[in-house]
Amino acid sequence: MSLGTLVIEAPEGSGALLTARHALEQNREVFAVLGSILSPASRGGNELIRDSGAKLITSADDVMEELNLSAVEHQLELAAFFPEDEAQAAVLKFVTFDPIHIDEITRTSALAASTVSGALTMMELRGLVRQVGGMNYVRLRETVAEYQSV
């Protein structure tokens, strides 16, 4: 179900170590964050690095590089500039860099309130818009289509 397992802390005999061993048995990558040699909570992860060849991780970039996901990460960054569907594209037409209330977007777009709310939520998660209080939204960036029309 996954490409790898990352162990942050694992005392000896912990479930995290059991999970890591299962991952190794299934030829999955195992990663571990090095912890203090004085901490019992770090002992298992440190031993994974020493004994089983778990890859030492110092940042998320280490995992992305090891799993060759840098290209995927770049594609995801680019995807954030595009509305995901027609509802998001329709709602985004009404959201500017000045705050606008969700009710105003619903009225002017002629979309169902649930459609507008869902689209705004998804776009907020993707970093296209942000709620600035009182159910008012602002745009955080232009989309690729708007860049191309300039």
Side-chain angles (χ1 to χ4, degrees), residues 30-96:
V30 175
F31 308 101
V33 176
L34 187 64
S36 168
I37 61 170
L38 303 175
S39 170
S42 298
R43 190 167 291 134
N46 292 347
E47 289 176 1
L48 278 172
I49 295 168
R50 183 189 69 204
D51 299 337
S52 69
K55 310 244 177 2
L56 174 63
I57 298 300
T58 59
S59 72
D61 291 335
D62 294 342
V63 175
M64 298 296 283
E65 184 179 315
E66 188 64 37
L67 295 176
N68 199 22
L69 295 176
S70 298
V72 172
E73 182 181 31
H74 181 67
Q75 289 172 350
L76 292 174
E77 288 172 3
L78 287 177
F81 284 98
F82 293 96
E84 286 186 326
D85 58 29
E86 292 178 22
Q88 288 182 21
V91 169
L92 198 56
K93 290 178 185 177
F94 298 97
V95 181
T96 66

Side-chain angles (χ1 to χ4, degrees), residues 1 3 13 18 23 35 48 54 58 67-69 96 110 116 124 126 131 136 140:
M1 289 180 52
L3 297 174
L18 181 62
L48 278 172
T58 59
L67 295 176
N68 199 22
L69 295 176
T96 66
V116 172
E124 189 170 14
R126 297 177 64 231
Q131 187 184 145
N136 290 290
L140 295 178

